[in-house]
């Protein structure tokens, strides 16, 4: 199979699943120390690129997808929903991540959004939590009855269990292509972009269903030094009530959001991070298409 290995593969992998199933952990562990972050480039504006891993025969381009939002029918949500649909339909393979001991309505809703024509791998994460591994079988059977999955891979992202196997499965679905990104390509701009993505993700997690997509994150200042990174971010929301939701009782929620975001950034950037987040009310911005473009939604 030396012959086969001489063919370089490169393609897009969309990671989807309800909040908390371990998507970010999985992606971090999959790209590991070899992470190279890239901002959106001309040829890939339809994707939100999160991380790229390149080895001797494959370039894995992982993309994260924000969840669909149906509660608010404003311009921003329409734009985001379109982005998710485009991301999923143009991915080479989709990882549908579930938690090893629960499959509920929220998981089903995500599954319903996955286009059937894109090969989808069922990733059963957090298997370390399952004491008797025999219990995984009926769970896997139950979930796999819902869709014709291209593969089923139980993993533990946290313990790096079976991630090699998952990578091999993924590779199989990537087209033969030369690398689309320079493996060494890491820029300040991309880190700045990632900083916003990380904060956005934490806000969505900590505010549950209430807030998403009526808020956005703007990095007002980004200073990257050799030994420290300073990030000053503004969260723009539509109403005072939304601001209160993010800040929380005695500022506790914002503190948690900041701490988690900072830890993720430190992991990703490899240096200590000083992070300040301000919440600002900017009424009506989410209904304004021109405003959205100004904040980088296209
Ligand atoms: P996301 O919302 O899907 O991106 O989920 P995260 O990656 O942020 O993980 C949510 C929580 O699950 C965090 O507390 C993780 O540490 C935890 N987690 C992720 N992967 C595993 C795993 O393999 N095993 C266990 N026990 N916990 C995990
Ligand atoms: Mg996440
Ligand atoms: K997410």
């Amino acid at each position: 199979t030396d012959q086969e290995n001489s063919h370089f593969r490169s393609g897009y992998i969309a990671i989807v699943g309800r909040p908390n199933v371990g998507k970010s952990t999985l992606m971090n562990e999959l790209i590991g120390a070899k992470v190279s972050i890239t901002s959106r480039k001309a040829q890939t504006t339809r994707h939100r690129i999160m991380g790229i891993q390149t080895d001797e025969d494959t370039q894995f381009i992982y993309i994260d997808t924000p969840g669909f939002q149906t509660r608010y029918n404003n311009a921003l949500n329409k734009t985001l929903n379109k982005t998710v649909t485009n991301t999923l339909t143009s991915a080479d393979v989709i990882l549908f991540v579930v938690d090893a001991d629960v499959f509920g309505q929220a998981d089903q809703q995500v599954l319903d959004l996955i286009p059937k024509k894109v090969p989808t791998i069922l990733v059963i994460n957090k298997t370390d939590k399952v004491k008797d591994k025999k219990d995984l079988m009926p769970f896997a059977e139950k979930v796999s009855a819902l869709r014709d999955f291209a593969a089923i891979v139980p993993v533990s992202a946290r313990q790096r269990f079976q991630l090699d196997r998952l990578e091999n499965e993924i590779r199989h679905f990537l087209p033969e292509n030369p690398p689309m990104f320079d493996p060494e390509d890491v820029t300040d701009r991309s880190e700045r972009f990632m900083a916003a993505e990380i904060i956005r993700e934490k806000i969505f997690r900590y505010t549950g269903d209430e807030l998403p997509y009526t808020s956005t994150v703007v990095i007002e200042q980004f200073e990257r030094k050799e030994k420290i990174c300073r990030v000053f971010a503004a969260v723009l929301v539509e109403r005072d009530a939304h601001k209160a939701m993010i800040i929380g009782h005695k500022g506790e929620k914002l503190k948690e959001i900041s701490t988690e975001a900072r830890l993720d950034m430190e992991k990703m950037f490899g240096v200590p991070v000083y992070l300040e987040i301000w919440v600002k009310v900017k009424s009506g911005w989410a209904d304004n298409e021109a405003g959205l473009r100004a904040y980088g939604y296209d």
Side-chain angles (χ1 to χ4, degrees), residues 18-22 97-105 107 122-143 153-156:
R18 69 161 166 83
N20 270 313
V21 290
V97 185
V98 299
D99 185 320
D101 57 10
V102 239
F103 187 92
Q105 213 189 333
D107 300 283
L122 173 63
V123 179
I124 303 176
N125 189 29
K126 309 196 188 182
T127 55
D128 56 286
K129 286 197 313 188
V130 180
K131 283 206 193 72
D132 191 346
K133 296 288 182 259
K134 282 203 298 282
D135 294 341
L136 279 172
M137 272 306 285
F139 179 80
E141 273 169 24
K142 188 181 100 182
V143 181
V153 188
V155 302
S156 166

Side-chain angles (χ1 to χ4, degrees), residues 96 124 211 227:
F96 175 52
I124 303 176
L211 189 70
K227 292 214 170 84

Side-chain angles (χ1 to χ4, degrees), residues 34 40 88 94 109 147 182 192 203 216-218 255:
K34 287 176 279 186
R40 291 177 293 177
L88 293 184
I94 294 170
Q109 277 169 358
R147 177 66 67 102
D182 180 346
R192 189 181 182 126
I203 290 170
T216 196
V217 177
V218 178
K255 216 164 124 190

